[in-house]
Amino acid sequence: MPKNKNKAHVIVVGNEKGGSGKSTTAMHIVVSLMKRNFNISVVDLDSRQKSLARYLENRLNYAEKHKLQLSIPDVYILSKSQEGDIDNMMFEDTKNFTDLIEELHKDSDFILIDCPGTDSNLARLAHSVADTLITPINDSFVDLDLLATVNSDTYKVEKLSLYSEMVWDARKHRAMTDRGTIDWIVMRNRVSNLDAKNKRRVHDALKELQKRVSFRYIQGLAERVIYRELFPKGLTLVDFPDTEEKVTLSHIAARQEIRRLMSDLGLPGWNEVKGVKAETRFSA
Ligand SMILES: Nc1ncnc2c1ncn2[C@@H]1O[C@H](COP(=O)(O)OP(=O)(O)OP(=O)(O)O)[C@@H](O)[C@H]1O
Ligand SMILES: [Mg+2]
């Protein structure tokens, strides 16, 4: 249920690995929340690719073309400062980021920040204000390396990664500034049903990792062609069957997966909502 007007819940979707599904996941979370009448503001920190902003732009175009009333949030693209020396740039980044987030807190229930797949000052700032941090990882040991180096036989953690250290710093920062905590959720993405052995191994390794790096580990999304196909139309699985698109079994399975993801995230108010906003068509 839409709630406060002074403090939003900040969701950050991040990791330092490109192409792990951050923007795709972010888009599905945004539309899911909007469908339940939450007021959400989107910040795209990937000012080079702007994938999430472009996904939303495609949505706007699709809605206009097909005369559909699709929920579309306000989106802000924040670029890295390029002015002066490093200290100057850090100062500018911090000011721009802090000012924007402060403003968005005033009238959003949720602020969703999509990070680029590289380390940057803006991404660090985003992690330090997260209430919920979602890190999608592709289902392989290459991606697990993003969290820590694990022993190849026992899966015991040998060394934390730079990214895990960064989240650790962000958590310390949150604790010191407002005594807040970060709910860090690692979600598997592009899980293949064809490789049960790998699936099991990654699961075992993640279970072991959880003991050392404190995160919640959730099932996430399967590898499905449908996730790749929706981008040009700006649609999500949550939009079906409110569009003119044909609904297939794959859509239904994927929609279930998104529902489970939303429930697993445990965002404030999500499980309390009773009335779900229905998408309606513009009359032509
Ligand atoms: N579950 C999935 N099944 C199939 N394809 C997927 C899935 N999730 C994401 N993809 C595809 O993988 C590619 C990368 O996804 P996405 O852009 O969401 O990743 P990203 O982490 O935001 O990347 P970047 O680091 O470049 O910002 C896209 O082509 C997307 O359609
Ligand atoms: Mg992205």
Side-chain angles (χ1 to χ4, degrees):
M1 207 162 298
K3 35 168 201 113
N4 99 67
K5 290 295 150 211
N6 298 313
K7 179 120 179 50
H9 184 93
V10 181
I11 305 167
V12 174
V13 188
N15 71 17
E16 288 169 4
K17 181 131 195 334
S20 60
K22 295 180 288 297
S23 302
T24 307
T25 306
M27 183 70 179
H28 279 81
I29 296 172
V30 168
V31 177
S32 298
L33 287 170
M34 291 197 90
K35 276 239 172 193
R36 290 205 176 178
N37 282 336
F38 287 104
N39 191 4
I40 174 156
S41 302
V42 170
V43 181
D44 191 343
L45 294 184
D46 195 351
S47 60
R48 276 168 75 87
Q49 298 191 52
K50 306 183 194 78
S51 303
L52 186 55
R54 284 189 43 237
Y55 205 146
L56 288 163
E57 196 182 313
N58 294 346
R59 186 173 177 81
L60 188 65
N61 293 337
Y62 182 89
E64 278 174 5
K65 190 168 160 201
H66 295 271
K67 302 200 176 345
L68 289 171
Q69 203 175 41
L70 298 175
S71 340
I72 302 173
D74 289 336
V75 50
Y76 303 83
I77 301 168
L78 203 53
S79 307
K80 288 196 266 206
S81 164
Q82 312 280 355
E83 299 287 308
D85 59 19
I86 289 193
D87 284 346
N88 225 320
M89 287 194 268
M90 296 266 272
F91 178 81
E92 278 291 310
D93 281 346
T94 308
K95 181 163 179 4
N96 293 342
F97 180 84
T98 315
D99 288 353
L100 175 64
I101 299 299
E102 202 178 296
E103 197 54 36
L104 297 181
H105 264 297
K106 290 182 189 156
D107 57 7
S108 314
D109 298 315
F110 290 93
I111 301 170
L112 182 138
I113 310 176
D114 187 27
C115 294
T118 47
D119 182 24
S120 75
N121 186 33
L122 285 174
R124 279 169 186 264
L125 288 164
H127 282 69
S128 71
V129 298
D131 293 305
T132 299
L133 167 63
I134 303 166
T135 302
I137 59 163
N138 282 343
D139 217 36
S140 80
F141 278 89
V142 178
D143 276 44
L144 281 188
D145 221 41
L146 169 90
L147 304 170
T149 310
V150 292
N151 181 289
S152 56
D153 298 319
T154 61
Y155 302 141
K156 291 255 179 314
V157 173
E158 291 183 339
K159 188 170 171 288
L160 287 187
S161 69
L162 290 175
Y163 184 72
S164 291
E165 301 269 10
M166 192 263 264
V167 177
W168 175 248
D169 285 345
R171 280 180 154 155
K172 272 197 302 200
H173 183 267
R174 266 312 292 278
M176 281 185 323
T177 47
D178 64 357
R179 296 188 183 194
T181 51
I182 301 176
D183 183 16
W184 186 15
I185 300 167
V186 172
M187 61 163 268
R188 291 167 81 176
N189 188 24
R190 308 190 73 161
V191 179
S192 166
N193 285 324
L194 299 176
D195 191 355
K197 205 165 158 192
N198 178 63
K199 201 168 153 180
R200 180 84 220 160
R201 279 195 188 136
V202 173
H203 170 83
D204 290 345
L206 275 167
K207 282 277 172 206
E208 199 53 51
L209 260 173
Q210 263 191 311
K211 294 180 192 161
R212 179 73 196 282
V213 192
S214 167
F215 56 74
R216 282 204 289 135
Y217 149 47
I218 63 170
Q219 208 171 330
L221 310 180
E223 167 74 35
R224 294 180 197 276
V225 177
I226 186 72
Y227 287 115
R228 292 200 289 277
E229 289 177 345
L230 294 173
F231 176 84
K233 293 175 180 161
L235 295 177
T236 68
L237 271 317
V238 190
D239 296 304
F240 296 89
D242 303 329
T243 67
E244 290 162 351
E245 303 291 315
K246 215 173 99 205
V247 180
T248 63
L249 277 179
S250 172
H251 284 92
I252 296 167
R255 205 169 52 197
Q256 279 295 103
E257 194 168 72
I258 297 295
R259 283 198 192 126
R260 191 195 55 218
L261 169 72
M262 290 305 294
S263 169
D264 287 348
L265 292 181
L267 296 170
W270 178 258
N271 292 315
E272 293 149 31
V273 181
K274 298 223 166 50
V276 179
K277 187 179 164 192
E279 303 278 25
T280 48
R281 251 160 230 271
F282 284 129
S283 47

